[in-house]
Each structure stands twice: as structure tokens, then as C-alpha cells.
Amino acid sequence: MDSEKRPMLPLIGSEIVKSTLTALWFMFLTFPIMVIKISPLDKTIHWRWMNLVYVGAGAFFLSFLWRYFMERKVQGARADEDGGWQKRAGQRISTDRRIYLPGLIALGAFVAIFPFLFSSYQTSIMITALMYVMLGLGLNIVVGLAGLLNLGYVAFYAVGAYFFALMNHHFGLGFWFALPMAGAIAAIFGILLGFPVLRLRGDYLAIVTLGFGEIIRLILENWNDFSFGPSGIAGISRPGIMGASLTLHQHTIYLYYIMIVMVVFTMIVVGRLRNSRIGRAWIALREDEVACQAMGIDKAKTKLMAFALGATWAGFVGCIFAAKTTFINPSSFTFMESAIILSIVVLGGMGSIMGVVVGAFILILLPEYLRAFSEYRMLVFGASMVLIMVFRPQGIIGGIRQHYTFQRKPAADAGEGGDAACA
Amino acid sequence: MQPVLDVKKLTMDFGGLRALEGIDLQVNRGEIVALIGPNGAGKTTFFNCITGIYEPSGGDMIINPPDKPAKRINKLKPNTVTESGLARTFQNIRLFQKMTVLENVMVARHCRTRSGILGAIFRGTKTCAEEQEMVDFSYRMLEKVGLEGYVNDLAQELPYGAQRRLEIARAMATEPFLLLLDEPAAGMNPRETRELDALITRIRDEENLSILLIEHDMKLVMSISQRIYVLDYGKMIARGTPAEVAADPNVVKAYLGETFDA
């Protein structure tokens, strides 16, 4: 970057002019609300001129900051064309054991003792965040890898939750039996949704899946005999360990560890799927449907597999959710949930596992811990989403592709001996 | 000997528009056959019919794989056609842009490999062996087209000529007996076209396959193809060796217009 240094002085001059204009514009815009204050009781007008100064100074400073980051973004795009340090750094961190091993151990230790360091309330929030990590990773298969925009993902979450709740209510089925079955049932629902939408893509697919999500919710809300309607199902049993009776606090800790194991399991499975024959078929399908078929990939089968596998994780989490809250009703499964899960995937980075983990923590923990600024909570939340999308449209952490190394033999018969993923 | 591809009376209608009418075309074992014709003559439509993207309105398409019985491919889905041994490239490059060069080729091994979801999750020895075979095979294909230096680059980062060659490598990875190339030299400079000429002939000889190509570059067509078919307005107007076709008055008329006095 040093090589293309431009003359600094005139540049700064024009930047100051730009920022001054922005500041003046903002001062003009906010004048009525920030400066004039009318008190209707004693019929007087207060002129708060100091506010005008604050707005001006603030806008001046922020516009500088905005343009600085915009400039960096443009330069970043240029740098990306010849490698991109982030990509290289990512590749390095994920391949060099000396760098990631100590970090991983420290993180593991922190995760392991987390419930003993923090209160039951914090642990409970963390469980929720971990549930969304799993949901995000599941949706990542469908949206991030296979490129099928699914706005009704919450339906599978509901299927898992209601499956466990109903089975528990009617037959007293335990959590550990219900968990794999909830996943399987959700997968079947995934295929059920998959069949009619095989020919659809993009916007059309999004609308149909949106409708599917609403259908499931409306059925749960209105079919009283089956789902107990809006009043929901209460008294769902928590996961037990060999019949031991646990206090509420102990239950939370137990559930926390279950979630940690489940999340690690999900990350391994999704990571392996991504770099497998099936995963590559999904990505190919996302990139170019016609070419994908012309390369001998069965479109229908591949799409159904993506829907089914994505839904499976939602089914798992649904079951865990029912066990965590011990009470479920249809209002937990609104479109808003689908939107949040989709935001996690897009914000974190489509097709990227670490991205989704980070995205879930940001989207779930940020509103939770911003409660201190209660009035501004949603404002900060919205602004941070807009900023991330402006400056990193590919998500916080973009997907990193598998790297292969080949030892080149000298002479004519070069090649062979590449490192496959199974090392 | 039976031709590897035997197309009889192929007709394709789009509503009221007859895009192809009674096309007969044969490709023999080991042959390089060219399909030429002015823009909009129906060449790519013909390819799309053979590869199952369109379902033809009439006629027959029969393939004779070297080691399997003859097969009618009229109503097959594109992926089944590819599995039976026909592979194609596209006129407007259709690579998987966000995948690496090696992965692009590995995707094409899909129909020749079997490992499923459970294999992917548990990574048993069988899956690993298959994965390794996939990597090695794909790397060999990349070597054939001279892209072994780019394995880990994203397909979208490749220069134009290299993208075209990657498409050929990808098609080859499906182990076809007949390779369909849709304007492989489009947008290439003269030097790249010469290299492509050598590449196509070399692939045919080394891999023991037949090639059917659509091409506008007459120099390339005349130098590498044994036989040429000429399409115009959906009809076959001429066929024969390069010399015969070049001398055919119908072809001259189709390319240069009615008023040309040959």
C-alpha cells in the first residue's frame, strides 16, 4: 500500500470540506428536534444551541470515520484480488497447529468451567446462544452450502419441539430417546417440503418455504385436539441422568454440557460434510445448477439431501428447546425466528462454520447484554447489522475452501500423492 | 463398426418454432467431428438435446459406449446422460466460480464415486480411499490441460483461456467416451487457439475418445476435424470432409449470403 501513496495535503483539504458539508447537513436536519424545545405549559421556547455544536462535531467525526472505512474496504477488495491477507491468515490459522492448538485448549478450558464461573442466568443465556449456533449450522447446509433460500426453517424446529413434547405428554418418552427421533422426524418433514419445491429456486423457493413455515405454525395454533392450541404443552420433562434428581441450577448446568457436546458434534459433522463428495455437490448446485447436472449430479437427490440434513439439526434443537423450557406453544415458532436464524448465517458468512458460530453469539448475546441500554438496544443491534453488511458483505468470516498440497516429482511423471481430507 | 453417437431425424420444437428439423448426425469411434453454422442455426440447441437439457420433440438418439450395450438417450435426465458417458462444456463458461480449480474437477467425479452421507461423517477407510482416488484423478486431469499450478485457486480467479481449459478438464473427469465441446476457442487469441488445437487432438489420442465440437474458428475446425456438419436455420445443409464442405455452394451461401456469386 505504501507504493501508491498519494499527495496528502490536498487530499486532507477535500476530505475536510466533505466532512464539513456532511456536518452542516446533519445540523440542518436535526435542528428542529435537537435545538428547539417548546414547553407548552409556560409557552416558551428553549434554544439549545449547544446541541447543534455536538451534532456538528459528531457528524464531522463520524463522516471521517465512515469514509476511512469505505476507503479501506475498496483497498481491501483490491488486495483480495492478489491473495488477500485475511484469506491467507485464515488458511494459516486453520492449518498451523502451533497457532491454533494453544488457543483451542484455552477456549476449551473456558467453555468447560463456564457454568461455575457465571450465574445460572448467564449459563441459561449461553445455552440459548448455543442452540442458535446449532440452528445456524443446520440452516447453513441448506442456505450456505446448497444455496436454497429457506425462510421456513423454524417449521422443523417446531416439529422437533412438538414431537418431544407430545411424545412426552402422551407416552412419557424420555429426552434421550426422543432426541434422535426428533431429528429423524424433522428430516422426513424436510423431504416432504423438498419434493414440491424441487423445481423452484431463488425468490420463488423463499416464498414457498415461508408459506410452509406459516402452515406448520397455524396448524399448531388451531388444531387444538392435536397440539393443545395456543395454550401449548406444559410440564415437559427435563433430560435426566440415570434417574438422579437434580435441582433447577444443576439441570441448567447439565443442559449446558449437553449443548456443548451437541455443538461440537454439529461442527464436526457439518465440517466433514462440507468437504465431502456430497458437500461439493451442494456447493456446485449453488454455483450453477445446469453445469452441476451436466457433471452427472442428480439435482433432485442432492437437494432433498440438503433439505433433510438441514432439517435434522432443527429437529434436534427443537427437542432440546422443549426440554429446556419445559413448556412450548406456537408463539415460539414465528417467522421472526426463521429471520434471526437466517441473519445468523448471512451475517456470520455463508458456508462458513466459524462464521456462523460467531454470528450466532453476536446476534443472540448482543441484544441480551445490551439490556443496560434498554432504549437503544434495538438501535445498536440494527446499526451493527447494517455496518457489518456494508463493510463485510461476505459475512464476518467467509468460507475457506479445503487446501490441497501436491508433491511435484521431477521429470515427466509429475504429480500424484495429494493430501486428501482424510489425513 | 457402430458409430458411438447416432442421431436420427432429430426434431426440436419450441412452441411454434422449429429449432431443429430432421437432423442426422453420426460420430464414429476416435473421430473429431465439427458442427458449424451461422449464429442461431441451432447448434447449441442440438447439444442441449443430446445432453438431456431439452427433451427433443422427435427423432432418436442412440449411443454405443465401447464396453456397454447400445442405449437410447432420448428421455434421460442430464445427469444420467453424463453417467452414460457423454460430457460437455458450455459456450458461456459455466464453472463453479467459488470453488477451487481442483474441486471443480472433483465435482465431476461425483457420478463415478459412491460414498454417501454416513461415509462423509464417519470417514471410513473406504471413503478415504475414494476421496484420495478423486483427488489424484482430478489432479491428473488438470495436468493434462496444464492447470496443475492452479489447484487451490478459485475458478473465478483464473484467466479466461485457463477457464476454458478447466471446463475441458472437468468434462474429462466424468470419464466420457464422447466429449462435446461448445465453442471451446471462443474469445481466445490465435496463440491460445493453436494450443487448444493441439490439446484437443492430444486428449482424443490419449484418452481414446471421440469429440464433437461446435466452433466458429474456421482455421481450427478445418485443421482438426475429420468430418464437418453444417447447420443453418435448424436444417443440415451440408456434410463431409473439410475440403468438401468448404467447396459446397450451400455452405458458402449460408455464410456469405444469397448475392455472393461463387
Side-chain angles (χ1 to χ4, degrees), chain B residues 3 5 10 28 39 56-57 63 70 81 103 114 126 143 187 202-203 213 222 225 229 239 246:
Chain B
L5 174 70
L10 184 76
N28 296 314
N39 286 327
S57 328
I63 53 166
V81 173
E103 282 176 325
R114 282 289 155 263
K126 221 168 128 193
E143 275 183 330
R202 188 157 50 84
I203 285 174
L213 80 160
M222 293 295 166
S225 42
Y229 287 85
R239 69 189 66 195

Side-chain angles (χ1 to χ4, degrees), chain A residues 144-221:
Chain A
L145 296 181
L148 306 163
L149 187 50
N150 186 345
L151 292 181
Y153 193 61
V154 76
F156 307 121
Y157 184 34
V159 165
Y162 266 88
F163 172 77
F164 176 46
L166 287 170
M167 283 299 170
N168 189 259
H169 182 85
H170 293 301
F171 309 110
L173 195 71
F175 173 79
W176 290 111
F177 281 106
L179 186 66
M181 282 160 77
I185 296 281
I188 291 169
F189 269 80
I191 292 171
L192 279 183
L193 168 67
F195 265 115
V197 301
L198 277 177
R199 293 164 158 273
L200 303 179
R201 52 188 313 188
D203 319 358
Y204 308 101
L205 178 66
I207 291 168
V208 175
T209 51
L210 177 71
F212 178 77
E214 286 301 287
I215 288 170
I216 296 281
R217 189 179 62 81
L218 287 173
I219 287 176
L220 293 176
E221 212 152 76

Side-chain angles (χ1 to χ4, degrees), chain A residues 71-91:
Chain A
E71 181 71 17
R72 271 201 38 186
K73 186 189 160 194
V74 172
Q75 276 173 358
R78 232 178 277 146
D80 265 352
E81 274 164 25
D82 40 66
W85 67 269
Q86 279 152 329
K87 205 170 96 186
R88 270 179 278 127
Q91 217 109 46

Side-chain angles (χ1 to χ4, degrees), chain A residues 47 61 84 142 162 167 199 218 235 257 301 321 363 372 395:
Chain A
W47 299 91
F61 176 70
V142 187
Y162 266 88
M167 283 299 170
R199 293 164 158 273
L218 287 173
Y257 285 118
K301 212 168 133 190
F321 174 74
L363 276 181

Side-chain angles (χ1 to χ4, degrees), chain A residues 106-124:
Chain A
L107 185 72
F110 177 73
V111 165
I113 58 169
F114 183 87
F116 304 103
L117 292 179
F118 296 93
S119 68
S120 198
Y121 166 71
Q122 308 279 5
T123 312
S124 178

